[in-house]
């Protein structure tokens, strides 16, 4: 599992940003075909996430993770949050951190567990919906701990 955490003054994620309704439907159909049984239903309240003073945790589960160290990942995220004084945490599935991401069903399950374990300590933690095309906005302040990477 790979994690790339940013301290963001502002974070936004928006599903299907700047696409027409027809383009959205075609993109969703392609995703449903590729991610059969894994792509969650896109509820209106899941289309956009906006947070301020947050830790943005880009998470990639890899094929080679026989038993990812979810507890270690949780502790790393919460340590970064505490270190910079952020007020929230957001978990963002991000397969682009690895040349060999895990199969979608495994990645989704592990990321869901990670969110659950983070919420055990940080109940306000949120996630960005799995699988959909998204635009991301990160406003990262300049300080020594604004970005942290870890591999578990």
């Amino acid at each position: 599992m790979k994690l790339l955490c940013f301290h963001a003054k502002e974070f936004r994620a928006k599903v299907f940003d700047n696409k027409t309704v027809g383009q959205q439907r075609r993109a969703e159909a392609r995703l449903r075909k590729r991610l059969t049984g894994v792509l969650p239903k896109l509820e209106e309240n899941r289309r956009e996430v906006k947070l301020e003073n947050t830790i943005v945790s880009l998470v990639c589960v890899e094929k080679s993770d026989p038993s990812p160290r979810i507890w270690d990942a949780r502790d790393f995220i919460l340590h970064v949050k505490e270190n910079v004084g952020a007020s929230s945490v957001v978990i963002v599935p991000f397969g682009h951190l690895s040349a060999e991401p895990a199969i979608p069903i495994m990645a989704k399950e592990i990321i869901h567990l990670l969110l659950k374990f983070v919420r055990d300590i940080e109940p306000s933690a949120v996630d960005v919906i799995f699988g959909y095309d998204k635009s991301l906005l990160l406003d990262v302040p300049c300080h020594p701990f604004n970005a942290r990477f870890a591999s578990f």
Side-chain angles (χ1 to χ4, degrees):
M1 177 185 297
K2 293 187 188 289
L3 291 176
L4 181 56
C5 295
F6 292 98
H7 176 214
K9 289 192 291 188
E10 179 184 3
F11 171 75
R12 281 192 313 224
K14 191 169 183 182
V15 175
F16 293 137
D17 196 22
N18 298 324
K19 289 191 177 188
T20 66
V21 173
Q23 289 171 325
Q24 288 178 23
R25 287 187 183 135
R26 286 189 297 278
E28 188 169 354
R30 280 192 310 273
L31 287 168
R32 287 214 179 280
K33 188 175 180 180
R34 193 175 84 220
L35 300 174
T36 303
V38 178
L39 196 67
K41 183 177 181 196
L42 183 57
E43 308 277 337
E44 194 56 39
N45 65 341
R46 300 278 296 169
R47 286 187 175 273
E48 189 169 15
V49 175
K50 291 182 182 181
L51 293 166
E52 293 181 357
N53 189 29
T54 190
I55 295 301
V56 179
S57 302
L58 303 177
V59 181
C60 179
V61 179
E62 298 181 285
K63 280 182 186 176
S64 60
D65 290 342
S67 174
R69 295 175 12 221
I70 299 170
W71 298 104
D72 292 336
R74 179 205 61 184
D75 292 347
F76 177 80
I77 291 167
L78 295 174
H79 174 75
V80 172
K81 176 189 177 284
E82 203 173 294
N83 201 15
V84 300
S87 57
S88 61
V89 171
V90 60
I91 305 292
V92 183
F94 200 75
H96 309 288
L97 290 176
S98 174
E100 294 190 12
I103 60 170
I105 190 83
M106 182 177 135
K108 182 180 175 186
E109 265 183 47
I110 291 170
I111 291 170
H112 177 74
L113 276 175
L114 176 61
L115 177 64
K116 179 185 177 306
F117 294 155
V118 169
R119 281 183 175 159
D120 286 345
I121 295 172
E122 182 63 44
S124 64
V126 298
D127 67 332
V128 173
I129 195 164
F130 184 89
Y132 287 89
D133 295 337
K134 300 168 269 297
S135 63
L136 302 176
L137 171 79
L138 275 169
D139 182 359
V140 179
C142 180
H143 62 75
F145 300 106
N146 64 358
R148 303 286 306 270
F149 176 80
S151 187
F152 297 100

